[in-house]
Amino acid sequence: MAKFKIDNTASNASTLYISRGFIYSLLKRYKEAMDDYETAYLLNPKNVGALVSMGVMKLYLNRPDEAKNDIEKALLLSPNSAGVWNNSGFIKLYQNKYDEAMVDLEKSLQIDSTANPEAYNNRGYIYFKKGGIENYKKALEDYDKAISVGSKIYNPYWKYRDSVVASMGK
């Protein structure tokens, strides 16, 4: 990563910082990811991707109120973005605010139900956590939908599909 130097004067510098931040996040180097997302945002305060990424990283860095603020700013800039609504739901889901998260995930799926595997996956997780056979059925349906609309390599983040199936067999 040290060789991945970014020229802040380049027209795409903000995007490059987001890309490098994403790599750091995959490596679970959240502080470094956060630094890059903040730089991306400073270079372009209207960069919705930077705001969303900052929000998610702040959540992982145990700063949930700040995460919520970043997502709210992103929603102001891009109120019709399925991805922003999904991430708003994810932040609430991560905080165990399942009912609030469900509202945001439903909004995400209203905007785009055809190529939005993360929203199906996140909603499936909520159904799984709520428990009960009817919720398990809904969870399984959402996990399968996430897989069907995702790419061939899509693997649900929460990885609870097998747990749902096992719970339904009890």
Side-chain angles (χ1 to χ4, degrees), residues 17-35:
Y17 276 107
I18 291 173
S19 297
R20 188 172 71 183
F22 179 71
I23 294 167
Y24 279 132
S25 73
L26 291 175
L27 298 171
K28 299 190 184 320
R29 292 167 59 178
Y30 300 136
K31 174 67 174 98
E32 290 157 297
M34 186 71 224
D35 291 344

Side-chain angles (χ1 to χ4, degrees), residues 7-170:
D7 177 359
N8 286 6
T9 63
S11 62
N12 64 343
S14 182
T15 302
L16 293 173
Y17 276 107
I18 291 173
S19 297
R20 188 172 71 183
F22 179 71
I23 294 167
Y24 279 132
S25 73
L26 291 175
L27 298 171
K28 299 190 184 320
R29 292 167 59 178
Y30 300 136
K31 174 67 174 98
E32 290 157 297
M34 186 71 224
D35 291 344
D36 276 353
Y37 294 145
E38 286 177 333
T39 301
Y41 179 69
L42 290 172
L43 290 171
N44 181 0
K46 292 186 179 186
N47 189 322
V48 173
L51 279 166
V52 169
S53 298
M54 285 169 38
V56 172
M57 281 307 103
K58 287 176 181 175
L59 185 67
Y60 291 162
L61 293 168
N62 200 29
R63 295 160 48 190
D65 291 335
E66 293 176 58
K68 179 182 172 194
N69 290 340
D70 288 340
I71 290 296
E72 287 174 354
K73 287 179 192 175
L75 284 169
L76 288 174
L77 291 171
S78 192
N80 295 316
S81 168
V84 176
W85 281 105
N86 174 62
N87 279 286
S88 179
F90 174 76
I91 286 173
K92 292 170 183 172
L93 181 156
Y94 197 89
Q95 297 173 296
N96 299 320
K97 296 177 181 178
Y98 298 138
D99 292 335
E100 291 178 39
M102 188 67 83
V103 171
D104 291 355
L105 297 170
E106 292 290 339
K107 177 74 174 175
S108 176
L109 290 166
Q110 284 174 355
I111 293 168
D112 183 359
S113 65
T114 61
N116 200 352
E118 292 83 5
Y120 285 112
N121 191 58
N122 290 335
R123 190 174 70 177
Y125 179 75
I126 292 171
Y127 286 131
F128 170 66
K129 293 302 282 183
K130 286 187 170 194
I133 192 69
E134 291 306 313
N135 282 328
Y136 291 149
K137 287 178 185 176
K138 291 176 185 177
L140 185 59
E141 187 177 309
D142 274 350
Y143 284 140
D144 289 344
K145 186 69 174 178
I147 292 166
S148 73
V149 300
S151 70
K152 290 181 181 181
I153 61 169
Y154 180 72
N155 189 9
Y157 177 76
W158 291 102
K159 298 181 174 115
Y160 286 108
R161 187 185 184 286
D162 292 341
S163 297
V164 169
V165 172
S167 295
M168 290 174 72
K170 290 181 180 179

